[in-house]
Amino acid sequence: LLCASLGEGSGGGTKTTTMSLAENSKEVKSLFQRSIDAFLQSIDANPTFATAWCGLGCALMATDPLLAQHAFCRALQLDKSLPDAWANLGLLYAEYGNGEAAVEAMDALTQVAD
């Protein structure tokens, strides 16, 4: 919805990313930080909750892609069958030009989604 409100998908050739949203909007940056804080609280309460690690990765993608990668990998260490972690890890790799790793993550996703 955020991207749509900024013209993404309208055919106008814009490319709105979560990174550009976080950089250009204090409100969006604040929402990402609140999400990060909430996921960190969840992880503090239960460090083996893979879904919280995946959520943390999603919240971090816009501001700290390396830490987001770590969070997705930690989620997968805890639960290799978590499709959201594979999908988001693949998207992260694709966004930063690592096509080979993106394909590997998507292959893994198809294995767990079947």
Side-chain angles (χ1 to χ4, degrees):
L1 292 175
L2 286 171
C3 293
S5 72
L6 294 172
E8 180 67 21
S10 65
T14 62
K15 183 178 180 199
T16 304
T17 64
T18 55
M19 184 177 290
S20 65
L21 287 173
E23 289 173 353
N24 297 319
S25 170
K26 288 181 183 179
E27 182 180 0
V28 171
K29 190 173 188 172
S30 173
L31 289 171
F32 278 120
Q33 189 57 53
R34 287 177 48 198
S35 296
I36 291 165
D37 293 343
F39 285 118
L40 287 172
Q41 285 179 355
S42 178
I43 291 166
D44 283 344
N46 183 356
T48 61
F49 186 39
T51 303
W53 282 100
C54 183
L56 178 61
C58 291
L60 286 166
M61 282 178 74
T63 57
D64 193 339
L66 187 59
L67 194 53
Q69 177 191 17
H70 168 75
F72 293 135
C73 290
R74 180 65 181 133
L76 291 168
Q77 284 178 329
L78 296 167
D79 183 356
K80 288 197 183 307
S81 67
L82 190 64
D84 290 349
W86 285 116
N88 285 299
L89 184 61
L91 291 173
L92 180 70
Y93 287 144
E95 177 75 21
Y96 288 92
N98 191 340
E100 185 177 326
V103 168
E104 289 177 18
M106 293 303 149
D107 285 345
L109 173 62
T110 60
Q111 297 298 313
V112 299
D114 286 343

